[in-house]
Amino acid sequence: MFADKSTPPLRWSSTTPSQRFSPALGQVMPGAAVAVVVLESASGFLPSAPLVSVLTPLRLIILLGLLGLVFDGAGISAFHTRMDVFIGVVVLSALLATAVGGGTSAPLRGLLTQVTVYYLVVGLRRRHPESWHALSVLALASVSMAGAVALSQATNGTPTGFCRSGLLGDADCGPDALVRSIGTFANPNTLAAFLVMLTPIAALAATLLSERTARLSVLILAGVGYGAVLTTFSRAGYIAAAAGILVLAAARRLMPRFSRSGIRLATAAGVGGLACVGLVIAISSRAGTALGVRGQAWEAAIEVAGTHPLGVGLQRAGAVIDARAPGDVEFSHVHNLWLNWLVEAGVLGMLGITAVTVVGVVSAARLARDGSATGAACLSGLTAFMLMSLLDHPANLERIAMMFWLLLALTMAETPARWRPPAAAAPPSTPRRPAYHPRPPGRLAPGRPRKHPRSGSGPAQHPVPRKPPLARFSDFPEDGRTPSPGAELMAFMRP
């Protein structure tokens, strides 16, 4: 009697091409290990106490993930990247700094764990290229988790121990101060660094859906990340987030139109900009308190590097800077990623981490130029993180450093392992026709009669030239004298 206008029942269908689920351990273990790493970096839910000796729960899970890749048939080529040499330089400098500079071996084990996560993600992406779907969903969940906690702290006025006066002024916490959100981290700057790195990756989850409402929901959840950056009141975080959004938009719209020369020019400009910033830092570090506590830290870092060329040991920069910098400010790092490596791992460590960052950004830019969505997202995240690392060192926290190496792994997994691709094999040789040699003018091809332009279709009839008859002996006088012209003419006309 009445037309049924209710919503049609839901069906178990997907907007993406379905694949047969294979519960093989070789495929499940690496993906589960990466999922635990990302969620641990966002929330820190795993205990840090070791199970046996130095084997923590996180390290055990990472080793099981690598073992799963081996069961899945991953060979050496699945883990080989063009950044291997530079990673080796970084690890070698850390070993030398730990042996010579002193300190404990715990930071070195942390670095080795981060490098292992790098190769775990590379192997997973190489063996299962479609795994970027899962990585984008994990990034979306992590960004939503940390961002929602930060927004809750801001709206409810939850004390975090960090406050601002006005918008960006430093102040002690009080009734009129603005509370700076820390989310699931212990510092607003580390929260901002985590969000600006992973929010572009989280936005990739929108490409998995074709329905508008679902895609809009994913974008809103990704936008929670950038919204939470605003609640941190981090000056470096604001600059990094704005730069990341601009780079993401440019990478998706403009970079595919760039030529190779344009990419090289932009890369040279970026490297030149970083060099100029480094020069400004070096000059400003001699200018006393012109840059506040950061200027004091940078000046002390350059002095320490001159006396300790091999470094003072990992995680010892803060204590060394405290002993040299004037004032009563306590430093936990040098407030600069590259200067911090210069102090802790020496010149070799700074060169290694500089090569790692430059190769990562350049590789992501090339992928973005080729139209890779992953390359564009990684370029945005790496650019934002580099900008924050100029004035701060959020990677001093292991959870942030883990995500930095994960971004590098996502980039290098899609980048060819060799700097120059192998030359393509020559096509099989085919017999060539003999070269064409044009005939000289006026010469006929053999077997083809000449045709006169005024004649018909038949062969042209040309008179055959007659040879002049030979003069007979009787035509000449007997005295042997040469005949006259008249006698020659008469002899020629005689039959």
Side-chain angles (χ1 to χ4, degrees):
M1 181 176 180
F2 298 99
D4 185 10
K5 297 182 179 180
S6 60
T7 304
L10 295 177
R11 302 294 183 187
W12 289 103
S13 60
S14 174
T15 57
T16 57
S18 60
Q19 296 181 356
R20 183 177 177 271
F21 178 70
S22 177
L25 289 178
Q27 299 178 5
V28 174
M29 291 170 60
V34 173
V36 172
V37 168
V38 176
L39 295 178
E40 157 65 17
S41 299
S43 61
F45 68 94
L46 287 178
S48 58
L51 299 174
V52 179
S53 183
V54 297
L55 185 63
T56 62
L58 180 62
R59 291 169 185 165
L60 176 61
I61 293 173
I62 293 172
L63 291 178
L64 290 177
L66 288 176
L67 187 62
L69 287 176
V70 174
F71 288 160
D72 196 37
I76 300 297
S77 59
F79 303 97
H80 176 49
T81 65
R82 64 175 55 178
M83 201 183 283
D84 295 343
V85 175
F86 306 125
I87 294 176
V89 172
V90 171
V91 174
L92 177 62
S93 66
L95 287 170
L96 293 176
T98 303
V100 178
T104 62
S105 60
L108 178 61
R109 294 195 297 269
L111 175 63
L112 294 177
T113 304
Q114 298 157 22
V115 173
T116 306
V117 169
Y118 169 85
Y119 285 107
L120 172 64
V121 177
V122 168
L124 177 63
R125 289 282 290 115
R126 295 270 179 85
R127 290 295 299 171
H128 306 284
E130 71 281 356
S131 60
W132 72 269
H133 298 169
L135 290 171
S136 61
V137 172
L138 290 171
L140 180 64
S142 301
V143 167
S144 303
M145 181 191 313
V149 174
L151 292 177
S152 175
Q153 293 170 350
T155 55
N156 296 318
T158 304
T160 60
F162 298 91
C163 299
R164 288 287 193 200
S165 174
L167 183 60
L168 298 175
D170 295 324
D172 297 330
C173 293
D176 299 330
L178 296 174
V179 176
R180 301 179 63 187
S181 300
I182 60 175
T184 56
F185 293 85
N187 187 289
N189 293 332
T190 54
L191 171 64
F194 178 83
L195 293 175
V196 298
M197 276 196 297
L198 285 195
T199 302
I201 306 296
L204 287 180
T207 62
L208 303 177
L209 306 171
S210 60
E211 202 272 325
R212 291 184 178 180
T213 306
R215 183 174 285 188
L216 179 61
S217 301
V218 170
L219 293 178
I220 290 175
L221 290 177
V224 168
Y226 286 122
V229 173
L230 297 177
T231 65
T232 62
F233 296 102
S234 172
R235 291 164 289 198
Y238 285 177
I239 297 174
I245 294 174
L246 291 177
V247 169
L248 183 61
R252 293 295 292 161
R253 299 294 181 183
L254 300 179
M255 290 196 68
R257 305 176 185 177
F258 286 1
S259 61
R260 291 184 177 270
S261 59
I263 292 293
R264 291 173 182 172
L265 181 61
T267 302
V271 174
L274 289 177
C276 292
V277 171
L279 182 61
V280 169
I281 290 175
I283 296 174
S284 301
S285 63
R286 302 295 183 182
T289 59
L291 295 176
V293 295
R294 285 179 173 81
Q296 299 174 8
W298 295 342
E299 181 180 4
I302 294 177
E303 293 177 358
V304 171
T307 56
H308 297 80
L310 293 180
V312 298
L314 300 184
Q315 298 290 340
R316 297 190 66 240
V320 175
I321 296 300
D322 282 338
R324 290 177 176 264
D328 55 354
V329 179
E330 295 183 0
F331 295 94
S332 57
H333 47 74
V334 189
H335 288 276
N336 183 280
L337 170 66
W338 297 272
L339 286 181
N340 199 85
W341 274 92
L342 176 64
V343 173
E344 294 184 350
V347 178
L348 185 63
M350 187 192 69
L351 294 177
I353 199 65
T354 301
V356 166
T357 52
V358 170
V359 171
V361 172
V362 172
S363 301
R366 290 182 176 178
L367 291 176
R369 180 203 62 192
D370 296 337
S372 171
T374 307
C378 291
L379 179 62
S380 174
L382 288 174
T383 302
F385 180 76
M386 295 298 122
L387 288 177
M388 284 202 68
S389 298
L390 288 173
L391 300 175
D392 205 346
H393 183 36
N396 193 58
L397 182 64
E398 186 175 357
R399 289 162 59 186
I400 300 298
M402 201 79 72
M403 292 299 97
F404 169 62
W405 286 99
L406 183 138
L407 279 184
L408 291 176
L410 288 177
T411 301
M412 304 311 298
E414 289 192 19
T415 305
R418 297 185 178 183
W419 289 95
R420 293 183 179 180
S429 58
T430 56
R432 294 187 302 175
R433 299 178 63 182
Y436 171 73
H437 298 286
R439 301 188 308 271
R443 184 173 180 180
L444 295 176
R448 296 185 61 185
R450 183 190 299 269
K451 292 184 179 181
H452 195 272
R454 296 182 182 178
S455 62
S457 58
Q461 301 293 333
H462 294 279
V464 179
R466 297 177 59 185
K467 294 182 179 180
L470 298 177
R472 289 176 294 188
F473 183 77
S474 59
D475 295 333
F476 295 94
E478 297 179 358
D479 55 2
R481 292 179 300 177
T482 304
S484 64
E488 292 180 359
L489 180 60
M490 295 297 296
F492 176 79
M493 296 180 63
R494 185 178 303 167

